[in-house]
Amino acid sequence: MSQTTSQASIDVLGPGSILRRLVGEARWGLAVTRATLLEAAHPQIGAALMENSTFLTHPWRRLRNTTMSSRRLLDPDPRVREREAARLNRLHARISGADAQGRPYDATDHEARAWVMATLFESTVTMCRLSGDTLDAETMRRLYDEHRAVLALIDGTSDHLPATLQEFWPYYDDIVEHHLENNEAVSVILYRLFATVPAPPLLRGHPAVWTAGRAVAGPLATAITIASLPESFSRRVALPDLPGARTLMQTAYLSAALATRYLPQSWTRVEFFMGLLDPSHEGTGPWEAVRRRAGKAAALVRLLTPAAAEEPQAVRSADRFFAEVLDQTGDGYLRWPDLAAVAREIATRLDLGEQEEERLFQAYAAWWRELQNALDGDGDGRVTRHEYAAAATRMPSTGLIKIADVLFDVTDVDDDERIDAEEYHDLFRTAFHRDLTGNGSGGGAGGDGGGYSRGAFVRQFVSFMSGQQHSNAYTALLTGG
């Protein structure tokens, strides 16, 4: 990325950024949901979502990570923005392939990335209009420039979005009319995700409550989303015109706007709702700081003393482990995208640099090759649940040991060959952070020289990842709890 492009991004996204303010508001979730559906209708993006994304199986984890990533890209500190852009580019560079029709997709495709920014801009404008906060011409132009600046930050250029707002609308209409499609990703978001979304951490102990609430909220969310879409898109992909949906949609947007305007600001921020959905989500304030400190030692104890397996039969336990942990994309098979998703989540939690991230992905790739050689009898590039469960007790472990060694090295930031409570917390937190001081986050919270040795760490990680032993900590990390 050129210095001129970078400087332009810094200027536009500096103090007073409109987009930064909107991203912090909980109501922006309406715009993001709408934009995501329009993105999914793009052939390349839809294929990448279905083949590689965990949004269906782990939506709350995806929501947390997306929220945090958006905040980083709009951070007042340009170092945070540029490092997050580099991190996203590394992860996206690993996502490519072909869809069921043989059409190639690539997460670094310039046109697809431009469409993502286009949908976010247009959906943000629509959110404001439906909320009764219609943007004037100058504000809308500034907002568009900010979206182009974010694209330049990520893609190195904003040339694939029209240079002016006047040119944008014909571009947007052309994509909607001639390039979008009613693909599997669109159907999954509208009719499967909303209807089957798992309970957030707060309600996982109350499945009946969640199921009852979802039975009502799911169809409402579908109706609101469909009613907010451009009419030309709805006609093109043959979406139903549900009775009363438009009134319901307008009520939802207006209610969100009124809440933002009249309720205490702390109640309408993203952090407030994240805290409601997940009580372990890291917040701020003195009480939250005390709670985190008090929980670190207990968290380390939980890792050192993993819970006993709930099901005594090895095959049965392995079958459940396959479904809950290994099958990250939810297609019923273990494939490379599933293990890549595990590596992405760990790299995200630990905020790894380029070299450490590459070591982690290479280690997971080595384990995947072992699994293929041992379990993929028909050579179709995937392992079934039955194949995995039947062979769980004789799984290859060389690759797993390599992964565990890499994971230990990147978690042990103070290089004392032990993982203390602070370092443990960085791995198993529910969100991720940025430390720009270079001091890391280690430091022996216990102060007594104790901790978790490499050997103990490797043994437990290998036992967990081979489905032989349950661990609350690792399950929470990889299932979004």
Side-chain angles (χ1 to χ4, degrees):
M1 180 169 54
S2 70
Q3 185 175 358
T4 302
T5 300
S6 177
Q7 185 61 44
S9 300
I10 292 172
D11 292 340
V12 173
L13 298 174
S17 165
I18 302 170
L19 187 55
R20 182 181 304 123
R21 172 178 58 81
L22 290 172
V23 166
E25 297 177 359
R27 66 168 179 157
W28 199 59
L30 291 168
V32 171
T33 301
R34 181 181 182 278
T36 299
L37 189 67
L38 291 167
E39 293 165 20
H42 188 286
Q44 285 220 38
I45 300 172
L49 282 174
M50 294 309 301
E51 288 291 313
N52 298 272
S53 179
T54 63
F55 77 99
L56 183 62
T57 49
H58 304 296
W60 303 111
R61 186 181 75 192
R62 174 69 182 270
L63 173 64
R64 283 196 304 261
N65 290 349
T66 300
T67 299
M68 294 299 295
S69 182
S70 299
R71 299 285 288 275
R72 286 172 161 188
L73 287 173
L74 295 165
D75 195 277
D77 190 333
R79 296 176 300 171
V80 175
R81 299 203 295 264
E82 291 176 2
R83 183 168 173 176
E84 178 62 12
R87 186 187 74 87
L88 290 175
N89 281 327
R90 292 197 304 271
L91 296 185
H92 288 164
R94 295 185 171 94
I95 299 176
S96 61
D99 64 12
Q101 302 175 46
R103 297 178 299 182
Y105 66 84
D106 187 333
T108 62
D109 179 77
H110 296 297
E111 297 292 345
R113 285 180 159 187
W115 179 242
V116 170
M117 283 298 113
T119 62
L120 284 171
F121 168 71
E122 190 272 343
S123 292
T124 301
V125 171
T126 299
M127 177 197 74
C128 293
R129 175 174 55 80
L130 293 174
S131 300
D133 298 330
T134 304
L135 304 176
D136 60 46
E138 176 59 22
T139 302
M140 192 181 298
R141 184 196 61 77
R142 284 180 54 202
L143 185 63
Y144 182 63
D145 287 345
E146 289 182 20
H147 279 81
R148 293 188 79 242
V150 174
L151 178 61
L153 181 66
I154 297 173
D155 206 34
T157 178
S158 59
D159 291 346
H160 295 274
L161 267 184
T164 67
L165 184 58
Q166 184 178 8
E167 297 171 297
F168 170 79
W169 298 112
Y171 154 83
Y172 182 86
D173 291 340
D174 178 69
I175 297 292
V176 171
E177 290 281 0
H178 301 108
H179 297 278
L180 302 189
E181 61 184 18
N182 191 359
N183 54 30
E184 184 182 5
V186 170
S187 298
V188 163
I189 293 173
L190 283 178
Y191 304 114
R192 186 176 168 191
L193 176 61
F194 290 147
T196 63
V197 59
L202 181 64
L203 294 176
R204 284 182 187 156
H206 308 280
V209 174
W210 175 252
T211 300
R214 184 179 61 191
V216 176
L220 291 179
T222 298
I224 290 170
T225 303
I226 290 177
S228 71
L229 295 169
E231 290 186 12
S232 57
F233 174 75
S234 296
R235 288 195 304 269
R236 177 173 175 77
V237 301
L239 294 178
D241 186 8
L242 303 173
R246 186 160 297 276
T247 300
L248 178 65
M249 176 268 295
Q250 291 173 337
T251 301
Y253 276 84
L254 286 172
S255 297
L258 290 173
T260 301
R261 190 173 304 160
Y262 294 111
L263 290 178
Q265 188 180 53
S266 60
W267 293 9
T268 60
R269 304 292 294 174
V270 170
E271 295 85 350
F272 178 78
F273 285 91
M274 293 292 286
L276 288 179
L277 293 172
D278 183 357
S280 65
H281 176 71
E282 294 184 356
T284 57
W287 169 250
E288 183 64 22
V290 171
R291 186 192 66 78
R292 288 203 302 268
R293 291 193 191 100
K296 287 173 183 175
L300 182 57
V301 170
R302 287 197 299 273
L303 180 59
L304 288 166
T305 56
E310 297 176 8
E311 300 173 80
Q313 298 179 9
V315 171
R316 210 166 161 198
S317 176
D319 186 82
R320 178 174 175 179
F321 173 79
F322 183 99
E324 293 181 351
V325 177
L326 290 182
D327 183 15
Q328 291 279 310
T329 58
D331 64 356
Y333 298 95
L334 174 60
R335 301 176 299 124
W336 167 242
D338 296 298
L339 296 189
V342 174
R344 281 200 304 271
E345 182 60 22
I346 293 175
T348 295
R349 296 291 180 99
L350 291 175
D351 195 15
L352 299 183
E354 183 174 2
Q355 292 183 348
E356 295 169 326
E357 184 182 283
E358 182 63 23
R359 284 186 65 202
L360 184 65
F361 271 89
Q362 289 298 329
Y364 268 101
W367 187 45
W368 172 236
R369 289 192 292 271
E370 285 188 359
L371 290 174
Q372 281 186 294
N373 291 334
L375 305 180
D376 184 16
D378 56 8
D380 64 353
R382 59 188 186 180
V383 174
T384 67
R385 183 182 302 191
H386 174 74
E387 288 171 334
Y388 176 84
T393 57
R394 50 184 176 81
M395 293 286 290
S397 59
T398 304
L400 280 177
I401 292 173
K402 183 183 295 186
I403 295 171
D405 272 329
V406 173
L407 191 54
F408 184 91
D409 289 340
V410 298
T411 306
D412 178 27
V413 294
D414 57 7
D415 295 324
D416 66 350
E417 285 298 308
R418 304 194 74 80
I419 293 178
D420 58 34
E422 182 78 20
E423 292 164 336
Y424 167 91
H425 175 68
D426 285 343
L427 176 59
F428 294 103
R429 72 176 79 233
T430 58
F432 52 99
H433 77 310
R434 168 84 59 234
D435 175 18
L436 292 169
T437 65
N439 294 326
S441 56
D448 58 0
Y452 204 39
S453 70
R454 181 183 294 270
F457 184 92
V458 169
R459 283 193 299 273
Q460 205 234 318
F461 180 82
V462 170
S463 294
F464 175 78
M465 287 302 296
S466 60
Q468 299 174 32
Q469 189 174 32
H470 180 69
S471 165
N472 289 329
Y474 281 112
T475 298
L477 170 67
L478 299 177
T479 62

